[in-house]
Amino acid sequence: MKSIHIGTSAPYDVLIERGSLKNSGSLISGVLSSKRAAVITDDTVGSLYSETLMNSLSEAGIRASIFTFSHGEQSKNLSTLGKIYDFLCDEGITRSDFLIALGGGVVGDITGFAAATFLRGIQFVQIPTTLLAQVDSSVGGKTAVDIAGGKNLVGAFKQPALVICDSDTLRTLPDEELACGMAEVIKYGMIRDKALFELVEKHDLSDVHEVMDEIVHTCIDIKRSVVENDEFDKGERMILNFGHTLGHAVEGWHNYTNYTHGMGVAAGMCMITRNFCSAELAARLEKCVEAYKLPTFSEAPMSELLPYCSKDKKCESDSISYIVCEEIGKAEIRKVPVAVFAKLMLEED
Ligand code: NAD
Ligand code: GLY
């Protein structure tokens, strides 16, 4: 089993091993002493993996109750959160007990926020089952729910007590969800690791599972180093948002329907790179993105995307920070007035 230690204010390990879901009870017992837990999952993941998890918890002497909600971003809201709190009360979960998030980023984000706030904070474990959640959302402690005003606008920093990544669970992911995670993997290569980018560009959606363990391990290690340097998102952590400023804008323009986060990030990375970097680099990134069946551009006119960019969480009063990688593996944060960003991006239109 591979293990990555995350040295944040509340430190923890990420364990990476195929088949580890069925040993999760004993892995959790090695870290948390309570024998009482609540598992939070969605209906799709629950039907695939909750039995294995519940059996493993029971074998380790952990009594667990399970709360299941409908899959999808539309469940990551205050209404579902309220139901989770009610469930935890009904089940008598106390401060010394813990939550387990079994699922993708939606389950991880809402469970983490419930753990950050229920009884003013209880422990939680992440068992991410999407590629995006394994390489990104389960590590680093960002938790949130969406409100009418926007995605992830209510949240907290809350590090998990343990993360268990079983890349066998990724075998049941639909191609579209795998591609979504690959957009983040390509991002990690672009911002920090040329060798990772080169590995990814040698594969495509059909055979990337062959190198999945290496990919997951490398990405988590990059996230570790960024988060250890800037746990509370004041500076360097912003590089993780390469492609995201425009990506979120494209997602918003599509009303978050029929357009995944990964598609937005992929198009966003390509748009920024075409605008600020060499034609050679832009073409190389586009080729890699296309191999994972992700878009390299958006049909939305830039003039209609820009209003979404100025609502981005990375905006401070009238300035915006965006990330440029002029070389593969090197990211630069550029902060400019929103009007300057608009002018620069309209040159691409
Ligand atoms: P998701 O959790 O909605 O999962 C995508 C779909 O895949 C769902 O329908 C789910 O039921 C299904 N699924 C999950 N695992 C499966 C499996 N193994 N086999 C088959 N189907 C499976 O979406 P996601 O892409 O994992 O996460 C997106 C969310 O993550 C967004 O809400 C985003 O805001 C958040 N996010 C958070 C952070 C962070 O740092 N906290 C970072 C990036 C994204
Ligand atoms: N996914 C971006 C971050 O964790 O900062």
Side-chain angles (χ1 to χ4, degrees), residues 42 44-45 73 76 104-106 109 129-130 137 142 152 169 172:
D42 72 30
T44 305
V45 179
E73 186 72 31
K76 203 179 101 177
V106 164
D109 276 14
T129 62
T130 62
S137 60
K142 282 190 182 174
N152 296 327
T169 61
T172 53

Side-chain angles (χ1 to χ4, degrees), residues 230-300:
D230 179 22
E231 180 174 352
F232 298 106
D233 210 7
K234 303 283 185 213
E236 180 183 337
R237 190 163 177 170
M238 254 184 250
I239 68 170
L240 296 174
N241 283 313
F242 176 51
H244 284 57
T245 304
L246 282 166
H248 287 151
V250 178
E251 279 183 88
W253 191 83
H254 284 271
N255 284 321
Y256 301 98
T257 46
N258 301 324
Y259 208 90
T260 65
H261 176 69
M263 290 164 77
V265 170
M269 290 189 293
C270 291
M271 284 191 268
I272 282 281
T273 303
R274 275 196 300 271
N275 222 31
F276 296 104
C277 307
S278 71
E280 189 195 351
L281 176 58
R284 190 168 169 192
L285 174 62
E286 284 172 7
K287 191 165 173 237
C288 185
V289 159
E290 278 167 353
Y292 292 92
K293 299 195 177 10
L294 289 162
T296 60
F297 65 95
S298 162
E299 73 213 45

Side-chain angles (χ1 to χ4, degrees), residues 42-46 48-49 70-73 76 102-109 126 128-134 136-144 146 151-152 168-174 177 180-181 184 187 223 237 244 248 251 261-262:
D42 72 30
D43 50 356
T44 305
V45 179
L48 289 163
Y49 298 114
S70 301
H71 66 277
E73 186 72 31
K76 203 179 101 177
L102 173 71
V106 164
V107 171
D109 276 14
Q126 289 267 21
T129 62
T130 62
L131 179 56
L132 180 140
Q134 293 195 357
D136 190 358
S137 60
S138 65
V139 178
K142 282 190 182 174
T143 72
D146 306 333
K151 272 185 69 171
N152 296 327
D168 275 352
T169 61
L170 305 181
R171 297 258 175 204
T172 53
L173 267 187
E177 297 300 340
C180 205
E184 301 290 351
K187 173 198 81 179
K223 181 132 191 196
R237 190 163 177 170
H244 284 57
H248 287 151
E251 279 183 88
H261 176 69

Side-chain angles (χ1 to χ4, degrees), residues 40-343:
I40 314 294
T41 192
D42 72 30
D43 50 356
T44 305
V45 179
S47 66
L48 289 163
Y49 298 114
S50 65
E51 195 181 330
T52 308
L53 173 61
M54 295 304 262
N55 286 341
S56 164
L57 293 172
S58 162
E59 280 161 21
I62 298 169
R63 187 164 68 88
S65 318
I66 184 156
F67 179 87
T68 306
F69 61 83
S70 301
H71 66 277
E73 186 72 31
Q74 67 283 355
S75 289
K76 203 179 101 177
N77 57 30
L78 293 169
S79 161
T80 310
L81 182 68
K83 289 179 187 146
I84 293 174
Y85 292 144
D86 290 344
F87 174 79
L88 300 178
C89 286
D90 292 348
E91 292 294 320
I93 296 297
T94 69
R95 253 186 207 166
S96 55
D97 304 329
F98 61 94
L99 308 188
I100 302 175
L102 173 71
V106 164
V107 171
D109 276 14
I110 198 167
T111 306
F113 189 61
T117 47
F118 185 67
L119 305 178
R120 298 205 180 86
I122 65 173
Q123 303 264 39
F124 85 116
V125 172
Q126 289 267 21
I127 306 185
T129 62
T130 62
L131 179 56
L132 180 140
Q134 293 195 357
V135 300
D136 190 358
S137 60
S138 65
V139 178
K142 282 190 182 174
T143 72
V145 293
D146 306 333
I147 56 171
K151 272 185 69 171
N152 296 327
L153 291 192
V154 176
F157 285 99
K158 169 81 180 171
Q159 303 294 345
L162 180 70
V163 182
I164 300 171
C165 289
D166 177 351
S167 56
D168 275 352
T169 61
L170 305 181
R171 297 258 175 204
T172 53
L173 267 187
D175 272 359
E176 195 186 48
E177 297 300 340
L178 189 64
C180 205
M182 285 310 298
E184 301 290 351
V185 171
I186 294 168
K187 173 198 81 179
Y188 281 115
M190 287 292 291
I191 61 170
R192 264 294 166 82
D193 192 331
K194 192 170 181 193
L196 172 67
F197 187 89
E198 285 168 353
L199 175 71
V200 168
E201 68 181 352
K202 278 195 205 118
H203 292 268
D204 60 27
L205 214 47
S206 67
D207 65 0
V208 72
H209 278 293
E210 288 168 17
V211 286
M212 197 51 92
D213 285 351
E214 186 179 347
I215 286 178
V216 169
H217 185 270
T218 305
C219 292
I220 294 173
D221 201 43
I222 295 170
K223 181 132 191 196
R224 174 200 59 74
S225 76
V226 174
V227 167
E228 283 179 352
N229 284 337
D230 179 22
E231 180 174 352
F232 298 106
D233 210 7
K234 303 283 185 213
E236 180 183 337
R237 190 163 177 170
M238 254 184 250
I239 68 170
L240 296 174
N241 283 313
F242 176 51
H244 284 57
T245 304
L246 282 166
H248 287 151
V250 178
E251 279 183 88
W253 191 83
H254 284 271
N255 284 321
Y256 301 98
T257 46
N258 301 324
Y259 208 90
T260 65
H261 176 69
M263 290 164 77
V265 170
M269 290 189 293
C270 291
M271 284 191 268
I272 282 281
T273 303
R274 275 196 300 271
N275 222 31
F276 296 104
C277 307
S278 71
E280 189 195 351
L281 176 58
R284 190 168 169 192
L285 174 62
E286 284 172 7
K287 191 165 173 237
C288 185
V289 159
E290 278 167 353
Y292 292 92
K293 299 195 177 10
L294 289 162
T296 60
F297 65 95
S298 162
E299 73 213 45
M302 189 57 68
S303 55
E304 291 182 24
L305 293 179
L306 288 168
Y308 290 94
C309 293
S310 53
K311 281 195 237 153
D312 196 275
K313 285 201 293 306
K314 289 170 296 306
C315 276
E316 291 166 27
S317 57
D318 64 347
S319 70
I320 188 163
S321 296
Y322 62 99
I323 318 302
V324 177
C325 302
E326 286 197 58
E327 257 179 69
I328 296 176
K330 293 210 171 105
E332 190 192 327
I333 303 169
R334 295 186 186 169
K335 187 172 175 181
V336 294
V338 173
V340 172
F341 180 72
K343 186 168 175 293

